Amino acid sequence: MPDFNAHVVLGESLTPVGQLRFTQAGPRQFSTFAYDPAWIENPRAFAVQPTFPLEAGPFHASGQAENKRDALAGAFADAAPDSWGRRLLERAYGNGLSEFEYLTLSDDTCRQGALRFLDDRGEIIRGGTADAVPRLVDLEAITAIARAYEQGKEVSPEDIQALAGAGGSGGARPKANVRDGDTLWLAKFTSVHDQQPIECVEVATLRLARACGIRTPEVRLELADTSFPVALVQRFDRRGTARVPYISARTALGKTGTELGSYTEIVDFMRANAADPQADFRELFLRLIFTILVSNKDDHLKNHGFLYVGSGRWRLSPAFDVNPAPDRNPHLETAILEGGAHDRSIRLAFEACEFFEIAETDARQMIRKTAQRISVAWRDALRQVGVAGTLAREYEAAFVNEQTEIALTF
């Protein structure tokens, strides 16, 4: 039974937080985390996730074959690579990697949030190769490597390692982190399998979200004049070179396995843990309305998150991974009400406004204004990223549909 150990530290200062111990026994993998006594005494200490209160523990997590990722607790799983990153690591290091190896072989510079890991010698477990994060000026070369990998072509071990080291978290689509000076961006590549201009439309939709009053990261399109444009999304868990603690809503709600969740459960978490609950309730309600009105198919709990703002408090992160899908079933990944239906329905959202502590007159106005803004602006938003004519018409049903008509009558 191989055991792995890592000292968990925080940010650039490498402040000791605790000890992570990982064991693999056949198909079973499990881990234990315990806070460092010095962290518990630290006046700036906070729980790395709500289910791991300070002064308690040790805390255990375990995963079987079908839910291997649960072998790491949510705060650590959030820092580990996604499906794309995992595939690259398997290509670079071989199959049969443990969850701990996925976490520690990914590049330290790129891991989500502020948790970092030291070995027993006190050295940072960097993963990847030295200076693995490509620069923005190398974007074209990196997209070419990703494309060759997707097409099953021969890719050198060095290139695969570079791509694996820079791989990001979130989803199965090709991506890498890139540096522009001190700023870290997530570069989301057009896949060779894409039938639609997914990256262009994501940039357009995030701009549309911002126009509707939703907080979004900085976003732009690179290589726009090529067949493989790249969406660049600024990493919001970084302030310059400083790292900001981050947890996904899945971690915030303590979900494991295939458990889904609901917007009202996120509200409950915010009521207890947000720095400004009312502002976050309003923001989340607006995002729910927007998700319904743009037919966003990607609103699962890993695509909502929280940034730590100090004094034991968290704030809803900027919105990300918003992907309109005109051809998908009209359902939400995250239900509106706990235990409720997953219908993508403006009426259901309106009926839930009291759970968000929003008055009905206010909710009506938010729904109507958001629908009006999307109706007026969606076509131009797409045009600005080069999606027009037939391509834009293919997306029309995502932005103008039965829910739009209902919302405009509010």
Side-chain angles (χ1 to χ4, degrees):
M1 289 202 313
D3 270 18
F4 299 96
N5 285 298
H7 302 275
V8 182
V9 297
L10 190 72
E12 300 301 291
S13 62
L14 306 181
T15 306
V17 173
Q19 185 87 12
L20 179 64
R21 185 181 179 85
F22 185 92
T23 306
Q24 186 165 7
R28 253 192 96 214
Q29 303 182 37
F30 42 98
S31 63
T32 303
F33 172 73
Y35 286 114
D36 191 303
W39 179 248
I40 293 169
E41 296 298 315
N42 189 326
R44 302 183 71 170
F46 60 94
V48 295
Q49 63 183 67
T51 52
F52 284 13
L54 289 170
E55 300 179 42
F59 304 97
H60 304 281
S62 67
Q64 296 286 9
E66 66 279 9
N67 290 319
K68 284 191 303 194
R69 298 192 194 198
D70 288 338
L72 289 174
F76 307 117
D78 285 339
D82 60 12
S83 311
W84 166 258
R86 290 162 78 98
R87 290 205 306 274
L88 291 172
L89 289 171
E90 285 157 11
R91 176 77 175 267
Y93 298 99
N95 292 328
L97 297 176
S98 70
E99 293 305 305
F100 185 87
E101 288 168 311
Y102 285 121
L103 173 65
T104 53
L105 289 171
S106 62
D107 191 82
D108 167 71
T109 308
C110 304
R111 288 188 203 118
Q112 190 96 34
L115 297 180
R116 304 176 78 186
F117 307 94
L118 308 182
D119 61 22
D120 284 332
R121 299 190 309 277
E123 302 283 327
I124 295 166
I125 302 174
R126 294 200 177 274
T129 51
D131 204 28
V133 187
R135 292 171 305 153
L136 184 58
V137 292
D138 302 325
L139 196 56
E140 213 155 347
I142 290 291
T143 61
I145 297 168
R147 204 151 60 240
Y149 166 75
E150 275 200 296
Q151 291 166 328
K153 292 180 179 171
E154 196 54 49
V155 182
S156 74
E158 295 76 31
D159 281 348
I160 278 290
Q161 258 185 326
L163 200 56
S169 60
R173 293 183 54 75
K175 64 184 73 66
N177 284 270
V178 294
R179 279 187 300 114
D180 185 13
D182 280 342
T183 307
L184 201 58
W185 296 77
L186 185 62
K188 304 176 86 168
F189 306 135
T190 296
S191 168
V192 296
H193 308 300
D194 284 349
Q195 304 293 308
Q196 292 174 307
I198 290 172
E199 302 315 333
C200 296
V201 173
E202 182 172 359
V203 168
T205 309
L206 280 170
R207 288 175 178 167
L208 199 54
R210 181 173 281 197
C212 290
I214 292 168
R215 287 188 294 109
T216 65
E218 291 300 318
V219 60
R220 66 181 202 255
L221 204 60
E222 291 282 333
L223 308 182
D225 300 331
T226 72
S227 304
F228 293 91
V230 179
L232 277 188
V233 184
Q234 191 173 340
R235 288 279 299 266
F236 51 70
D237 59 339
R238 298 290 188 270
R239 299 267 186 281
T241 55
R243 300 169 187 235
V244 183
Y246 172 87
I247 53 173
S248 67
R250 186 175 189 270
T251 296
L253 301 186
K255 300 291 186 186
T256 56
T258 54
E259 284 182 284
L260 300 172
S262 64
Y263 283 88
T264 53
E265 286 174 277
I266 300 175
V267 167
D268 288 339
F269 167 78
M270 296 191 303
R271 188 173 286 115
N273 298 282
D276 185 350
Q278 297 296 331
D280 275 359
F281 295 165
R282 193 178 179 84
E283 173 82 17
L284 187 65
F285 186 72
L286 186 55
R287 291 184 195 186
L288 168 59
I289 299 308
F290 187 81
T291 273
I292 293 168
L293 292 176
V294 301
S295 311
N296 173 27
K297 67 176 168 74
D298 247 357
D299 72 317
H300 55 78
L301 289 179
K302 289 279 275 186
N303 282 347
H304 297 281
F306 293 91
L307 295 168
Y308 186 65
V309 293
S311 306
R313 297 286 156 186
W314 298 83
R315 185 189 189 192
L316 202 56
S317 77
F320 60 98
D321 279 9
V322 182
N323 293 298
D327 53 347
R328 289 293 280 260
N329 298 332
H331 81 280
L332 298 167
E333 291 289 323
T334 300
I336 296 172
L337 295 172
E338 186 173 1
H342 283 251
D343 296 359
R344 195 192 287 158
S345 161
I346 282 292
R347 286 201 178 98
L348 274 182
F350 173 68
E351 286 165 16
C353 70
E354 63 179 308
F355 292 97
F356 294 79
E357 298 185 17
I358 293 170
E360 285 195 4
T361 49
D362 210 3
R364 282 183 190 280
Q365 188 184 26
M366 288 169 78
I367 289 168
R368 192 174 59 252
K369 274 179 67 176
T370 306
Q372 286 168 346
R373 181 141 304 164
I374 293 167
S375 302
V376 166
W378 74 270
R379 205 178 288 275
D380 197 41
L382 289 186
R383 193 181 298 116
Q384 285 175 11
V385 293
V387 178
T390 310
L391 273 179
R393 278 196 295 280
E394 284 178 14
Y395 272 93
E396 184 164 6
F399 296 101
V400 181
N401 51 55
E402 180 194 16
Q403 295 306 315
T404 319
E405 290 170 29
I406 293 166
L408 288 170
T409 65
F410 265 75

